[in-house]
Amino acid sequence: MTDDSRETGAWIRRFHPAPEARDRLVCFPHAGGSATYYFAVSRALSPAMDVLAIQYPGRQDRRHEPCIEDIETLAVRAVEELAPWGDVPLTLFGHSMGATVAFEVARRLEAAGTPPKGVYVSGRRAPSRVRDESVHLADDDRLIDDISRLRGTDSAVLGDPEILRMILPAIRSDYKAAETYRYRPGPPLGSPVVALVGDNDPQVTVAEAESWRDHTTGPFNLKVFPGGHFFLDGHAPAILDLIRGRLGVPSTTS
């Protein structure tokens, strides 16, 4: 068995190390999310794939660190932290805000001559499709209402004032990063892009997801699933098999 004792550092979680895997999946959380959102993904794909989950500052074990309120800064830092992990091909997966971070990471990897094997963008409109949003400027009650509407946080958490006080700063910071992000025109990706979207997502229409096609010269696919913004929670097996299939990893579905 290959010995791989590399340190992951504060930015990366490697829940189920798979040092012999030939592919590495890097997962970027949604606004207010954390690396642990992808724990089950890591468990399901290991040992066929080595899964890394990005842990943004300002949450969980990094809650005492300042949040980063800018998508491009998040991407720059993530690229720096991923540098030691490029010994096998990287595939990027991001949901919601994480999809935009993954896209900006992919742009930088390609500019550096190390393009990702593929980019999965879930629950997020294409970078060139802009909405005028300002929820990050609203009071706490409005912010909590929006989180509840998207069902992105467990209802038990929303009902616990102490936990809410801990997580709201990170959520607000992430909302600001997502809502103030503006695409800087540049060369499209050459990497394949797969856009995933729920057919009843209030945050992104199917047409807005389809516009990811304009951001790659490589193969593009759009997959529409029943559900809202967190449609992937109910379709995890199908999405994982989609990733396995495109990377040539056998499905574990019986």
Side-chain angles (χ1 to χ4, degrees), residues 53-64:
I54 300 298
Q55 182 79 313
Y56 309 134
R59 64 216 69 210
Q60 292 186 332
D61 58 322
R62 303 191 70 188
R63 64 185 178 276
H64 299 301

Side-chain angles (χ1 to χ4, degrees), residues 50-91:
D50 195 25
V51 178
L52 306 179
I54 300 298
Q55 182 79 313
Y56 309 134
R59 64 216 69 210
Q60 292 186 332
D61 58 322
R62 303 191 70 188
R63 64 185 178 276
H64 299 301
E65 299 179 45
C67 296
I68 295 177
E69 300 180 338
D70 176 76
I71 294 288
E72 294 197 38
T73 303
L74 282 169
V76 168
R77 291 302 311 277
V79 169
E80 292 171 351
E81 297 296 328
L82 288 170
W85 299 92
D87 54 316
V88 297
L90 300 180
T91 295

Side-chain angles (χ1 to χ4, degrees), residues 70-136:
D70 176 76
I71 294 288
E72 294 197 38
T73 303
L74 282 169
V76 168
R77 291 302 311 277
V79 169
E80 292 171 351
E81 297 296 328
L82 288 170
W85 299 92
D87 54 316
V88 297
L90 300 180
T91 295
L92 310 182
F93 184 102
H95 180 67
S96 195
M97 180 190 82
T100 309
V101 179
F103 169 71
E104 289 292 344
V105 167
R107 297 178 88 182
R108 287 158 175 79
L109 291 176
E110 290 203 355
T114 55
K117 195 169 182 178
V119 184
Y120 290 79
V121 286
S122 169
R124 185 66 176 167
R125 59 188 177 273
S128 53
R129 299 294 291 265
V130 178
R131 292 190 186 188
D132 185 15
E133 298 171 313
S134 57
V135 178
H136 71 280

Side-chain angles (χ1 to χ4, degrees), residues 143-153 158:
L143 186 57
I144 293 169
D145 285 345
D146 198 72
I147 300 166
S148 302
R149 178 176 64 94
L150 299 177
R151 294 183 298 169
T153 303
L158 293 175

Side-chain angles (χ1 to χ4, degrees), residues 214-231:
D214 300 331
H215 294 277
T216 182
T217 59
F220 173 80
N221 290 94
L222 174 68
K223 300 292 183 181
V224 182
F225 294 86
H229 191 59
F230 281 87
F231 68 91

